[in-house]
Amino acid sequence: MTTSTRLQWLLWLIVFLMMFFSMLPEDGFKEAALFSSLNVCFYAIIIYGNINWLYPALYLKGRLVAYILAAFFFLAITGLIRAYLLDWMYITWFAPGFRPTTIPILLRYMAGIPLLFSLSFIFRIAIIYFSLKQQAAALVLQNAKTELNLLKSQVQPHFLFNTLNNIYYEAYREAPRTAVLIERLSEIMRYFVDESPKDLVQLSTEISFLENYIALEKIRIRHEITLTFNCKVADGSSIPPMLLMTFVENIFKHGIDKTSMHNVIDITLLQDHQQLLFTTRNSLPEDASGQRPGGSGIDNLRKRLTLLYGDAYTLQTEKTATHFTAFLSVPI
């Protein structure tokens, strides 16, 4: 049960008790309880009938004339039913003698109906207010939970980073080469956690990420590969994260023959004024003739580039019998 619903129940209970105790001294317990209960029921019918039916179905849809007519008939019918029912109950069970039901008596019972209808608008405003207040409180709670989850997500990777650093220092004494690889892995993970969520990262950070990735991929290959990475860029340039990763990943996924001693990879990253030029060229395995150039990674990269740059980029791939070449040009 929501806070707004609980408050409404509490309000109707207060109205019932006020009517009950005001009638109790003169009418007695049974009559006061019965008439108070029926009056509260009819009050609720009038108020909620307007709030939940007439107002949203007619007034909010711009049907003002229909709303006025429907409200008039609704109040008249509800008021007459209430008046006849209450008067009949009074004559049947509580009146000292029989008396006829007259128009003045009915009008006396119906006198407060228009006021109740007017109060329904105030009631509606109060319901909306408490509903919005509850929604705002729920949003605050949700934000607090989100912040807590964010803190948790930050604590766990940093615990892992610290553990990797400890392993690095232990490995450095026994196997320096293994220690270097652990350090590179730690830097890659730190990049994923700290840099990849950003809109832009320093180009130097992206280059370091590529170098670490290449170093870790090379240990999976049985034979040494011939790899050159020529890089000439200006300091301070920024690009979206993981923008260059697809080409390099495709090389190690589709362009390496682990049984061959003649894997050749050429990577070039140049800055030409306000353009960043990235080119990769790699030899292909002998059984790569049937493979799709670039795979879905290139297609996904093209979609991302379109979202980032519109038409202000160039992405080209070329596949021959022996080599695969990819070229990317983006503004920086």
Side-chain angles (χ1 to χ4, degrees):
M1 185 182 296
T2 64
T3 302
S4 176
T5 304
R6 288 196 296 266
L7 288 174
Q8 291 176 61
W9 279 105
L10 178 61
L11 177 61
W12 289 118
L13 178 61
I14 292 174
V15 172
F16 169 81
L17 292 176
M18 290 176 61
M19 296 179 62
F20 173 78
F21 285 111
S22 66
M23 298 172 63
L24 184 61
E26 296 184 4
D27 301 325
F29 179 86
K30 183 178 179 181
E31 185 177 354
L34 182 60
F35 275 74
S36 298
S37 299
L38 285 175
N39 277 317
V40 168
C41 290
F42 275 100
Y43 294 166
I45 290 172
I46 292 171
I47 289 176
Y48 289 116
N50 183 43
I51 292 175
N52 298 329
W53 176 50
L54 293 177
Y55 191 84
L58 299 175
Y59 184 84
L60 291 181
K61 294 182 178 180
R63 302 170 62 186
L64 181 59
V65 176
Y67 174 69
I68 294 174
L69 293 176
F72 176 79
F73 285 109
F74 173 67
L75 294 180
I77 293 172
T78 305
L80 284 173
I81 293 175
R82 171 177 175 268
Y84 273 109
L85 180 60
L86 293 180
D87 193 60
W88 176 83
M89 292 175 57
Y90 176 75
I91 294 172
T92 304
W93 293 331
F94 303 108
F98 175 80
R99 64 163 178 77
T101 300
T102 63
I103 292 179
I105 292 175
L106 294 178
L107 292 177
R108 179 168 59 87
Y109 279 116
M110 298 176 63
I113 297 298
L115 177 61
L116 285 172
F117 186 77
S118 301
L119 289 176
S120 67
F121 294 97
I122 300 176
F123 204 83
R124 179 178 181 272
I125 293 173
I127 292 175
I128 294 175
Y129 169 77
F130 284 109
S131 297
L132 291 176
K133 189 174 181 181
Q134 185 176 9
Q135 292 176 11
L139 286 175
V140 171
L141 178 61
Q142 183 63 37
N143 288 337
K145 290 181 178 179
T146 301
E147 292 178 1
L148 179 60
N149 291 333
L150 179 60
L151 290 174
K152 288 180 179 178
S153 67
Q154 291 175 342
V155 168
Q156 293 171 357
H158 284 90
F159 167 77
L160 182 57
F161 296 152
N162 293 333
T163 303
L164 286 173
N165 288 336
N166 294 333
I167 296 174
Y168 165 79
Y169 288 117
E170 290 293 325
Y172 187 78
R173 293 182 295 181
E174 302 294 334
R177 184 174 181 273
T178 301
V180 171
L181 295 175
I182 293 174
E183 183 180 24
R184 289 186 181 275
L185 176 60
S186 177
E187 291 300 321
I188 285 178
M189 296 181 63
R190 195 178 301 276
Y191 174 93
F192 283 130
V193 174
D194 295 337
E195 303 296 334
S196 62
K198 298 178 181 179
D199 293 330
L200 293 173
V201 297
Q202 290 292 315
L203 188 52
S204 58
T205 303
E206 190 76 6
I207 293 171
S208 297
F209 169 70
L210 292 178
E211 291 174 341
N212 290 329
Y213 176 82
I214 291 170
L216 291 179
E217 283 289 348
K218 287 172 67 176
I219 66 174
R220 300 193 303 108
I221 302 170
R222 182 187 310 172
H223 304 290
E224 189 70 23
I225 65 175
T226 302
L227 188 148
T228 58
F229 189 175
N230 297 317
C231 182
K232 294 181 181 180
V233 295
D235 295 334
S237 300
S238 300
I239 62 170
M242 303 287 292
L243 200 63
L244 311 178
M245 178 63 182
T246 302
F247 287 171
V248 179
E249 184 180 22
N250 273 345
I251 291 174
F252 288 95
K253 186 176 181 181
H254 302 293
I256 297 295
D257 184 354
K258 296 181 181 180
T259 63
S260 174
M261 301 178 61
H262 304 289
N263 289 296
V264 179
I265 302 171
D266 293 312
I267 302 175
T268 304
L269 183 62
L270 302 175
Q271 183 174 345
D272 183 13
H273 300 291
Q274 299 302 314
Q275 290 291 123
L276 185 68
L277 311 177
F278 186 57
T279 306
T280 63
R281 186 175 187 271
N282 60 277
S283 56
L284 289 175
E286 293 182 359
D287 59 349
S289 57
Q291 295 183 8
R292 181 185 175 188
S296 61
I298 297 295
D299 294 335
N300 293 334
L301 176 61
R302 195 182 303 275
K303 294 177 183 177
R304 186 185 177 200
L305 288 168
T306 301
L307 292 174
L308 290 171
Y309 301 106
D311 296 330
Y313 75 92
T314 301
L315 192 159
Q316 299 174 345
T317 60
E318 181 184 1
K319 182 180 178 183
T320 66
T322 57
H323 289 84
F324 180 80
T325 304
F327 172 76
L328 174 65
S329 174
V330 295
I332 56 173

